[in-house]
Amino acid sequence: MSKLVVTSVSPGTSVQDAGRFGAQRYGLVPSGAVDRLALAAANALVGNELFAATIELGPLNSVLTARGGAVRVALTGATRPADVAGQPMAVNTSVTIADGESLNIGVVRSGTFGYLAIEGGVRGEPMFGSLAVNARAGLGSPYPRPLQSGDELQVAAASSANEKRIDLPAVVEGPIRVVMGPQDDEFDDAKELFLSSEWKISAMSDRMGYRLEGPVIKHLHGHNIVSDGTVNGSIQVPGNGQPIVLMPDRGTTGGYPKIATVISSDLGRFGQTQPGRGFRFKAISMAEAQAEYRATAELLRSLPGRVHDANILMLDIKALQSANVAGVAINAMDATTWQVHAAAQD
Amino acid sequence: MVAALSPPRILPSGDAAITVEFSRTIDAEANRRVLALDRLVASDALTGVTETVPTYRSLLVHYDSLQIGFEALGDKLTELALRPLPEATATRRWRIPVVYGGENGIDLEDVAKTLNITPDEVVARHVGGDYRVAMIGFTPGWSYLSGLPDSMQMSRRQNPRLLTPPGTISIGGIQTGVQCLAGPSGWHLLGRTAVRTYQLHRDPIFLLEPGDAVTFSAVDEKTFAEQDRAAEGGEFVAELMS
């Protein structure tokens, strides 16, 4: 048995999986990863179940150290520098941390949350089928709170050093898509203002909710409604007219009108938007939203097939360079050649 | 004579949930229909439905759109909601012990002043109420009860408190509540109970169900302290009366 020791950690780092379902009627919110696609991609890279528990990394530096044996991990999500004992590691690849060595994870360049999957998964006691941390409910495993320096995760020893990379489609730019409602009739012209304006995510945001800054969205009949159920992506408008997008650690019910809801397929992309960066919303029909969801489900299913060996080509390059053999060429027109090469240099 | 039921509003809550809205206000009849639809959805095991969240006036239905689409599920829910309400079935009734006033109920004196009655009369009226769990929400085990006597209804505090203790029993508007975890609250704090409506590593983890009946009883501080120790050890403390 190996250990992954938290040497230092970014704020906002916790163990997360797909979440804890079935008890929202008792006030227990699912929690779970902000970016489910990145969660699943990280797990695919180390051969885990797609929605196994990973470490959801906050945007600043973290250092994790292997003890008692080698540990194989994969990093996805926010773009950022990373290295193991000085050897650079690219996002969307796996790497093996030798006993006593550290994985150094840098500050994000784009995106907010990273996902570090560990081969064999995180050991802990699931509650309602999940290890996801929900600090308010005192739930999650092995620690029911964000990770702290000195925490130790019991993990499986690395099975091999056969490193992988995963090819993910480029993240679509463009507006965050929403379905209007359930209380869009509590707003009049403000709906148009909501959809036509540029918004920024406030620094006062966390896994409960992302607060938005922009024009004031005025209610037709005041800002109190009788408490009503919420979902991940509900956009509620409190009294000050600045919307709050509810995130995985939201309350299960809320008493502000909800003008619209972020579609499931855009929740991860929205959650990765950095504070201060401008973006817009776009309303789409329910049929379009559900078609997007089917496409996302298909993409998730395809992830294991998008995992490839990472270091065969790298070894070949080194072998070719050292042997200086002419006539054995790399196909320069194949974009993946350069992706892998660039990854090795990153 | 049975009045025909009006159809609920079917509202989209994103692409993976539907809000079935019976009323926009707190309404006992609407809540009865919410809980009846909740039971029907559970007993019919509707294809694609993953879980439901009953509130005072609406039922939130989470679903998997790979299995059923918005229109088809909305139609099915409307049909179920228009079925005649079943006869009131036997309900579980809990008695929840409360230590009122003092440091455990720091707003009791103010509530008494506002209502122009004695603190003892506030306690008597609160204990005299016959309550129903209308919904559980926001944080684990936070139970919103309907049935607060009219003479006890008052608006929420101007300034919500950022932290109120676990087990707080409070009143706000026309509701009373049993709060399980420490957290913010804008309600008036009357007392505390040792009952944990949510406790990990206990079976069941959640004590109350939407629709359960609740009565409060007053206990002294010594009893509260004993019950609190027992509850910490996993005992229910709440008494199941029927």
Side-chain angles (χ1 to χ4, degrees), chain A residues 266-278:
Chain A
D266 280 0
L267 280 172
R269 183 162 67 95
F270 172 74
Q272 293 286 17
T273 306
Q274 289 185 328
R277 196 165 164 207

Side-chain angles (χ1 to χ4, degrees), chain A residues 41-43 45-46 72-76 89 93-95 115-118:
Chain A
N43 279 314
L45 277 164
V46 291
R72 193 161 155 261
V73 299
L75 178 65
T76 62
M89 169 198 195
T93 65
S94 70
V95 71
Y115 293 85
L116 191 77
I118 303 156

Side-chain angles (χ1 to χ4, degrees), chain B residues 157-173:
Chain B
R157 283 173 54 82
Q158 285 282 345
N159 298 307
R161 292 193 174 90
L162 289 176
L163 195 64
T164 56
T168 290
I169 303 292
S170 55
I171 58 174

Side-chain angles (χ1 to χ4, degrees), chain A residues 22-27 127 136-139 182 185-186 226 228 230 251-253 261 263-264 286 290 293-294, chain B residues 9 12 14-15 24 26 38 51-52 57-58 60 62-63 65-66 70 136-141 181 198 200 206 209:
Chain A
Q24 295 189 72
R25 61 191 291 105
Y26 303 114
M127 294 294 291
R136 190 163 47 172
L139 274 174
D185 58 351
E186 294 279 337
V226 178
D228 187 44
T230 68
T252 54
T253 58
T261 313
I263 67 168
S264 306
M286 181 62 75
Q290 296 194 327
Y293 181 69
R294 287 192 291 277
Chain B
R9 297 208 304 162
D15 54 65
R24 312 190 96 173
I26 292 184
D38 186 44
E51 61 182 306
T52 55
R57 61 190 186 89
S58 61
L60 181 64
H62 293 270
Y63 67 102
S65 67
L66 297 180
F70 174 77
I136 302 172
F138 190 56
T139 58
L181 303 178
Y198 160 70
L200 285 174
F206 296 98
E209 283 283 343

Side-chain angles (χ1 to χ4, degrees), chain A residues 51-86:
Chain A
F51 293 121
T54 69
I55 300 175
E56 183 180 84
L57 297 157
L60 304 181
N61 300 56
S62 293
V63 178
L64 297 126
T65 306
R67 299 273 178 213
V71 178
R72 193 161 155 261
V73 299
L75 178 65
T76 62
T79 306
R80 66 208 308 171
D83 70 78
V84 175

